[in-house]
């Protein structure tokens, strides 16, 4: 599914970043950035790109999955992708890795793969140049995301690889707001989801 970028006309938002408004009622999404991997009349699915899973790094995940580490990776965090299916892994990555059966090309800069093959490639040093490994995802029922957008629960931001794949997770929310010209200090707590 290739990403569409309209919102108000009933088109879809694949490949866009949702920025949680300060008044977000659900604490799991407080100050979250969600990269939308899929959006259709059937609902939406995305991955939180600025929150890490507690005390879990790639090496730990590879060890739990019995994937031999053949390349020096360093202490890269596993991200908290969202509250749905938190035991399931997703890899958001640059387009230089592709599996015909398992890779969704979201836009020209970003793909998502959900099979263990990509983890094996990352552990061997043969994976994509840039990647975020997540556990869980954020999901919306049909019409739910559109309703949350109308209620000012989220702002929209055009993605860029530096924002998505940066390791400065604590600064991503502010960077996304700055990218759309919004000063976080001036935002009220009026939005909710």
């Amino acid at each position: 599914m290739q990403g569409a970028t309209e919102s108000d006309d009933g088109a879809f938002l694949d490949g866009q970043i949702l920025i949680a408004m300060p008044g977000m009622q659900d604490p799991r999404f407080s100050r979250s950035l969600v990269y939308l991997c899929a959006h259709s009349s059937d609902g939406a699915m995305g991955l939180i790109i600025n929150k890490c899973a507690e005390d879990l790094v790639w090496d730990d995940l590879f060890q739990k999955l019995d994937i031999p580490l053949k390349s020096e990776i360093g202490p890269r965090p596993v991200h908290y992708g969202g509250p749905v299916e938190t035991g399931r892994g997703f890899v958001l990555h640059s387009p230089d890795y592709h599996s015909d059966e398992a890779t969704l090309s979201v836009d020209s800069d970003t793909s998502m793969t959900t099979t263990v093959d990509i983890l094996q490639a990352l552990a061997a040093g043969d994976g994509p140049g840039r990647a975020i490994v997540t556990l869980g995802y954020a999901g919306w029922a049909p019409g739910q995301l559109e309703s949350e957008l109308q209620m000012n629960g989220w702002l929209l931001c055009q993605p860029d690889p530096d924002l998505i794949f940066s390791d400065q997770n604590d600064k991503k929310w502010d960077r996304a707001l700055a990218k759309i010209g919004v000063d976080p200090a001036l935002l009220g707590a009026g939005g909710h989801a």
Side-chain angles (χ1 to χ4, degrees):
M1 170 188 298
Q2 282 295 341
T5 57
E6 299 174 52
S7 60
D8 297 333
D9 314 43
F12 303 113
L13 302 169
D14 320 48
Q16 298 293 302
I17 293 177
L18 298 174
I19 305 169
M21 289 289 284
M24 177 65 66
Q25 297 297 309
D26 188 333
R28 298 171 299 182
F29 291 102
S30 174
R31 293 180 57 94
S32 286
L33 295 183
V34 180
Y35 179 81
L36 285 175
C37 299
H39 183 216
S40 72
S41 59
D42 295 327
M45 179 271 182
L47 299 172
I48 297 173
I49 60 171
N50 66 326
K51 294 188 177 191
C52 297
E54 288 191 31
D55 301 320
L56 187 61
V57 294
W58 287 18
D59 293 0
D60 299 334
L61 184 62
F62 295 150
Q63 185 176 22
K64 287 180 182 187
L65 296 172
D66 292 323
I67 298 172
L69 189 60
K70 299 175 186 169
S71 176
E72 182 64 37
I73 294 177
R76 305 228 9 223
V78 173
H79 282 70
Y80 167 73
V84 182
E85 293 189 48
T86 56
R88 186 171 174 202
F90 301 85
V91 181
L92 196 61
H93 58 88
S94 52
D96 51 343
Y97 176 92
H98 186 83
S99 167
D100 288 338
E101 295 95 37
T103 298
L104 170 68
S105 294
V106 181
D107 62 33
S108 62
D109 294 320
T110 311
S111 298
M112 180 186 68
T113 302
T114 59
T115 57
V116 72
D117 300 359
I118 192 169
L119 296 178
Q120 292 167 334
L122 287 167
D126 299 328
R130 299 179 97 176
I132 294 176
V133 176
T134 72
L135 291 176
Y137 68 92
W140 291 265
Q144 182 182 2
L145 178 57
E146 293 81 356
S147 176
E148 291 179 13
L149 285 164
Q150 288 177 346
M151 294 170 47
N152 297 319
W154 302 97
L155 295 173
L156 288 169
C157 174
Q158 290 287 328
D160 69 65
D162 289 333
L163 180 61
I164 294 169
F165 298 113
S166 166
D167 60 359
Q168 296 180 329
N169 293 301
D170 58 337
K171 296 180 180 176
K172 285 183 180 181
W173 189 77
D174 289 325
R175 285 182 55 207
L177 286 172
K179 184 175 168 126
I180 62 170
V182 174
D183 180 350
L186 301 178
L187 284 177
H192 56 281

